[in-house]
Amino acid sequence: MARLLRLLAGAAVLLLAASPAMAGTSVVDVGVNWGSQLSHPMLPSSVVKMLKTNGISKVKMFDADPWPVGALVDLGMEVMLGIPNDMLETMSGSYGNAKDWVKENVTVYGNKLKLKYVAVGNEPFLKAYNGSFMKTMFPALKNIQKALDEAGVGGTVKAVVPLNADVYVSPDDKPSSGAFRPDIDDLMTDIVKFLHDHGAPFVVNIYPFLSLALSDHFPFEFAFFDGGKNIQDKGGISYSNVFDANYDTLVHALKKAGVPNLKIVVGEAGWPTDGDKNANVKLAKRFYDGLMKKLAKNEGTPLRPGKLEVYLFGLFDEDQKSIAPGDFERHWGILTYDGKPKFPMDLSGQGHDKLLSPVPDVQYLPSQWCVFDDKAKDQSGKLPGNIQYACASGDCTALGYGSSCNGLDEKSNISYAFNMYFQMQDQDVRACDFDGLAKITDKNASTRGCLFPIQIISAGGRAAPALWWAALLAFAVMLVV
Ligand SMILES: *[C@@H]1O[C@H](CO)[C@@H](O)[C@H](O)[C@H]1NC(C)=O
Ligand SMILES: *[C@@H]1O[C@H](CO)[C@@H](O)[C@H](O)[C@H]1NC(C)=O
Ligand SMILES: *[C@@H]1O[C@H](CO)[C@@H](O)[C@H](O)[C@H]1NC(C)=O
Ligand SMILES: *[C@@H]1O[C@H](CO)[C@@H](O)[C@H](O)[C@H]1NC(C)=O
């Protein structure tokens, strides 16, 4: 009898577990960018469970690390793998290298992996790269596509190049004047013709948030999909949001380059939640609500009505990302560093206040924090150096102007920096000393609106930087300053 009950209970659990997947049929067909620049990654198999539960069936990655890719095998999820910019030279230099990449990272999975795209490079023509990848990009793309073709998968797997929207311009801010940036016009024209000839799409990253962050004159409402602002273009076309205007600027640029029908995939679209005055949960929710509704309606843009293919950026906050572009870089996740939803997001596009399911089975370090020790005396002025040391490898991006922890008093500010470092170092007691200025406490140091996080137990992969490495980094920072 007890056995029967257990079986019945088991069946009930199965039914319950199945329901989100069934709801999945009405989920918008949207992809996610699964980045790996976290000091403490979660188990890929748990991440994949979360994706399935939420009905997300398309994943884009920035490399081809077999650890997460292995978790996607046999699931039928559509995958885009990536080749980082620093491998472009290798891939362009010899066809053999491209062949090896395809062999080791594509062929090896056979048809167990539903691979659709290989992203060759990531935003390689960004102005910040000073043209470093100008010579290697196109040859690398050609070599990879050729290797895919020769491996017999070129019919279904396409080599693409995710590009930032700064590869095209419109001098008068009207989509109809869209054209490729003059310094790369010839190269872009060759690339888009190649993509066209091989049945590959143009992958573009579109960021209304950056339009807003980069210019104080940018009309705020135009960054969202429910704003009041409109701009008029030729032929009586009216744009009510910068996403559509940007996308159609690309459509015009493609037309000018001679490939008017080239398919477009939005490789990244999203909104960060911290690290800038316009990066918060409220505005991120507003952006995603509008985007999801738009995608659910299959309305497309004025020039390309119909279904849009979009990958959200990104899945998680990544504490190892470079903050050269801004503190917000580490806060793009629709989920937190520990896999929890930050705000309601209705993937069915109906605008309901639903939360995504979190990543299951995440384990935490003990509930303890490293804070500034009130009783300590900083007689020899060691505090500034210690804060700098903590922030050089710990993540202090929530402390700046407009960020969630900007309102802290001076002591809490110091505690925040100390704690982030301590957690990053897996709560190693030696990482909470700071010349005797710090102490460990089990009293939650969080304040209203400012979370002092407890780090998770890393599932492996990229290890947290060792203490000596952090010391070296801090030393280098001191030399520079
Ligand atoms: C396959 O991809 C991995 C992860 O991106 C990379 O480290 C490795 O070098 C690639 N293999 C080859 C042969 O290029
Ligand atoms: C690009 O050039 C600027 C200014 O000359 C320099 O500061 C920056 O480090 C360079 N970036 C790269 C990626 O080479
Ligand atoms: C806290 O730290 C941030 C970042 O270093 C700084 O901008 C801010 O002024 C500090 N606040 C106080 C009260 O010291
Ligand atoms: C600490 O407090 C914050 C804010 O109240 C809360 O969100 C967080 O979960 C708490 N952390 C722990 C480990 O209890």
Side-chain angles (χ1 to χ4, degrees):
M1 185 63 194
R3 201 183 126 94
L4 184 67
L5 277 177
R6 265 209 307 277
L7 274 176
L8 281 174
V13 167
L14 274 179
L15 277 176
L16 281 174
S19 58
M22 274 144 66
T25 48
S26 64
V27 161
V28 171
D29 182 24
V30 76
V32 288
N33 280 275
W34 182 2
S36 61
Q37 298 187 54
L38 289 89
S39 63
H40 291 64
M42 287 165 279
L43 212 53
S45 56
S46 300
V47 172
V48 167
K49 269 189 214 158
M50 176 278 295
L51 294 173
K52 286 202 79 167
T53 309
N54 288 310
I56 296 169
S57 60
K58 292 199 289 198
V59 176
K60 175 172 175 287
M61 290 172 162
F62 295 90
D63 54 25
D65 182 351
W67 192 44
V69 177
L72 291 164
V73 157
D74 277 333
L75 284 181
M77 276 198 207
E78 203 178 285
V79 179
M80 180 176 337
L81 296 179
I83 297 177
N85 288 336
D86 61 13
M87 286 180 82
L88 291 180
E89 197 170 339
T90 312
M91 295 303 143
S92 70
S94 111
Y95 174 58
N97 293 339
K99 239 164 77 172
D100 288 347
W101 191 93
V102 167
K103 193 170 157 209
E104 191 171 297
N105 291 310
V106 177
T107 322
V108 67
Y109 300 108
N111 50 19
K112 288 169 172 292
L113 191 69
K114 197 170 156 200
L115 186 61
K116 187 148 182 208
Y117 304 115
V118 173
V120 185
N122 187 42
E123 303 188 336
F125 301 148
L126 219 55
K127 286 210 193 94
Y129 294 141
N130 299 341
S132 306
F133 306 112
M134 221 75 108
K135 286 212 170 67
T136 48
M137 179 61 249
F138 192 27
L141 177 73
K142 287 196 272 196
N143 279 343
I144 291 293
Q145 186 64 56
K146 186 173 162 201
L148 290 167
D149 291 345
E150 273 189 13
V153 295
T156 50
V157 187
K158 305 296 180 187
V160 296
V161 194
L163 291 158
N164 186 275
D166 82 344
V167 296
Y168 46 89
V169 291
S170 65
D172 61 358
D173 285 338
K174 300 253 161 78
S176 54
S177 352
F180 287 119
R181 222 167 69 202
D183 64 311
I184 51 172
D185 190 23
D186 290 344
L187 180 55
M188 284 307 304
T189 302
D190 289 343
I191 289 178
V192 295
K193 287 195 167 135
F194 179 85
L195 293 171
H196 178 262
D197 291 346
H198 291 81
F202 190 104
V203 179
V204 64
N205 300 339
I206 298 181
Y207 280 113
F209 168 80
L210 293 180
S211 307
L212 195 58
L214 292 175
S215 163
D216 282 337
H217 306 294
F218 188 84
F220 186 81
E221 296 293 314
F222 203 52
F224 302 94
F225 298 92
D226 57 353
K229 164 97 184 164
N230 270 284
I231 63 160
Q232 303 300 320
D233 203 353
K234 282 198 202 106
I237 299 179
S238 158
Y239 289 93
S240 61
N241 64 78
V242 70
F243 182 92
D244 283 2
N246 195 308
Y247 190 103
D248 281 0
T249 305
L250 171 60
V251 173
H252 278 285
L254 292 174
K255 203 155 122 196
K256 275 182 201 137
V259 287
N261 297 318
L262 188 66
K263 184 182 160 169
I264 297 173
V265 168
V266 178
E268 297 181 14
W271 200 280
T273 57
D274 210 348
D276 185 85
K277 67 178 193 298
N278 290 317
N280 55 54
V281 162
K282 194 166 155 242
L283 292 180
K285 181 178 183 313
R286 182 176 173 196
F287 176 80
Y288 280 115
D289 274 353
L291 180 62
M292 289 309 153
K293 280 185 196 156
K294 179 182 179 60
L295 296 179
K297 282 190 281 184
N298 279 335
E299 64 179 18
T301 68
L303 292 189
R304 291 264 181 107
K307 193 177 162 188
L308 290 175
E309 188 170 345
V310 177
Y311 291 82
L312 308 183
F313 188 90
L315 207 41
F316 307 116
D317 284 353
E318 295 174 62
D319 63 356
Q320 304 282 285
K321 283 200 81 177
S322 158
I323 50 171
D327 283 351
F328 53 81
E329 273 299 319
R330 292 177 180 168
H331 303 278
W332 285 104
I334 54 174
L335 304 175
T336 53
Y337 72 100
D338 53 345
K340 293 204 176 103
K342 295 178 179 173
F343 49 86
M345 180 186 271
D346 183 359
L347 287 183
S348 73
Q350 307 305 306
H352 297 311
D353 265 359
K354 290 202 282 198
L355 286 170
L356 293 179
S357 292
V359 175
D361 310 321
V362 175
Q363 296 195 11
Y364 292 83
L365 294 168
S367 289
Q368 54 177 1
W369 293 259
C370 177
V371 294
F372 177 64
D373 187 352
D374 275 331
K375 292 190 217 67
K377 295 204 172 47
D378 184 27
Q379 274 147 345
S380 41
K382 288 198 165 133
L383 201 47
N386 275 294
I387 296 172
Q388 203 169 51
Y389 175 96
C391 290
S393 71
D395 178 18
C396 292
T397 55
L399 287 179
Y401 171 69
S403 303
S404 62
C405 297
N406 190 244
L408 295 179
D409 61 27
E410 207 180 330
K411 273 183 203 157
S412 302
N413 226 15
I414 302 163
S415 294
Y416 186 88
F418 285 0
N419 182 59
M420 289 309 272
Y421 180 76
F422 176 62
Q423 301 295 335
M424 166 84 82
Q425 300 298 338
D426 294 322
Q427 300 186 356
D428 187 325
V429 288
R430 289 166 299 174
C432 186
D433 179 43
F434 297 106
D435 288 317
L437 297 169
K439 64 171 184 195
I440 295 173
T441 173
D442 57 10
K443 185 168 164 281
N444 192 336
S446 304
T447 63
R448 221 178 98 82
C450 171
L451 176 74
F452 280 57
I454 296 292
Q455 193 47 275
I456 63 168
I457 296 176
S458 175
R462 189 193 304 253
L467 285 169
W468 65 267
W469 162 238
L472 208 71
L473 201 74
F475 184 62
V477 166
M478 268 153 62
L479 285 182
V480 171
V481 171

